[in-house]
Amino acid sequence: MDRAAVFDVDGTLVDTNHLHVTTWWEAFRQAGHRVPMHAIHRSVGLGSTDLIAHLLGEDRDKEQDSRLSAAHTALYAQYFDRLPALQDAGRLLRQLHRNDWTVVLATSASGPELSALRRAIDADEAIAATASSDDVEEGKPAPEPVAHALDLAGVPAERAVFVGDTVWDMQAGSRAGVRCVAVLCGGIPRADLEQAGAGAVYDDPAHLLAGLSDSPLA
């Protein structure tokens, strides 16, 4: 296997973006911040500290960051036992594995959250490695998460494809020098994803699986 298929997880393989929106909104509300849900949605995919900075600004009380992140984690953890995989997400990863792709996950999730996401996907036999937020200094849109995934796979950027659902994913993949494929199931418009670097766009994992033979993952 000398080629890698690198996947974001939230919004790409598991239908969790709006759960993140709701739980971040509640975490901000509890801390006295009024943050519109549409703004939170556009920030999903960033690591916790970067998401807070993006929404509250650099002049915020940064001592509150850890409490906001912990509140979001506690609220989101209520859903760990019922996170919904997107249609054919597991089948897509298993098919790529059969097609001799090294499948690696690149996600800001870690610990129990990452374990819950992997249970939802239910394709551990196809996943060679995971680059989590614990493994990098900078999260997306920096290229480090994708570059680390490539290191884990042992392949160069020109032998890899990165699949994600956010502008941050496309920017990270493009900066890492890999071909980028976007899915629309995270709720971000096609035009925004293409502008950020998506070379191909699909509705969801099922759509990508159905058109796999004509895709960048052929």
Side-chain angles (χ1 to χ4, degrees):
M1 295 184 182
D2 62 347
R3 55 186 185 173
V6 182
F7 281 84
D8 170 64
V9 180
D10 283 299
T12 301
L13 297 173
V14 187
D15 193 10
T16 52
N17 280 8
H18 289 89
L19 292 176
H20 279 298
V21 171
T22 301
T23 51
W24 271 117
W25 177 85
E26 177 61 18
F28 284 124
R29 189 198 67 80
Q30 290 178 5
H33 300 288
R34 296 183 62 182
V35 182
M37 287 195 182
H38 71 84
I40 298 172
H41 180 217
R42 289 290 189 142
S43 302
V44 169
L46 294 172
S48 293
T49 300
D50 291 334
L51 181 146
I52 294 166
H54 186 72
L55 292 169
L56 298 185
E58 292 298 331
D59 60 347
R60 70 193 185 281
D61 177 7
K62 295 179 182 177
E63 293 184 358
Q64 197 179 54
D65 285 7
S66 60
R67 293 194 297 275
L68 282 167
S69 182
H72 163 260
T73 298
L75 290 161
Y76 183 64
Q78 299 175 78
Y79 300 98
F80 280 1
D81 62 347
R82 55 192 189 278
L83 298 179
L86 286 153
Q87 183 180 352
D88 287 342
R91 286 184 61 203
L92 173 61
L93 300 192
R94 287 190 290 271
Q95 185 60 56
L96 289 169
H97 177 69
R98 286 192 293 269
N99 292 353
D100 293 329
W101 288 84
T102 299
V103 177
V104 182
L105 306 182
T107 173
S108 59
S110 62
E113 179 183 348
L114 179 56
S115 297
L117 291 165
R118 290 187 65 144
R119 285 196 301 273
I121 299 166
D122 192 24
D124 274 355
E125 69 276 17
I127 300 169
T130 300
S132 79
S133 59
D134 293 334
D135 303 319
V136 297
E137 293 293 327
E138 287 188 273
K140 305 165 193 171
E144 190 176 352
V146 180
H148 180 57
L150 299 182
D151 288 342
L152 293 173
V155 302
E158 60 268 20
R159 296 288 297 166
V161 176
F162 179 47
V163 184
D165 69 297
T166 68
V167 166
W168 319 114
D169 290 328
M170 298 302 101
Q171 291 176 349
S174 296
R175 291 168 182 172
V178 304
R179 290 173 292 170
C180 293
V181 171
V183 286
L184 298 173
C185 43
I188 302 301
R190 177 188 296 267
D192 292 2
L193 295 166
E194 290 176 338
Q195 185 176 7
V201 182
Y202 295 85
D203 293 340
D204 53 24
H207 186 205
L208 177 53
L209 178 61
L212 199 58
S213 61
D214 296 318
S215 79
L217 288 159

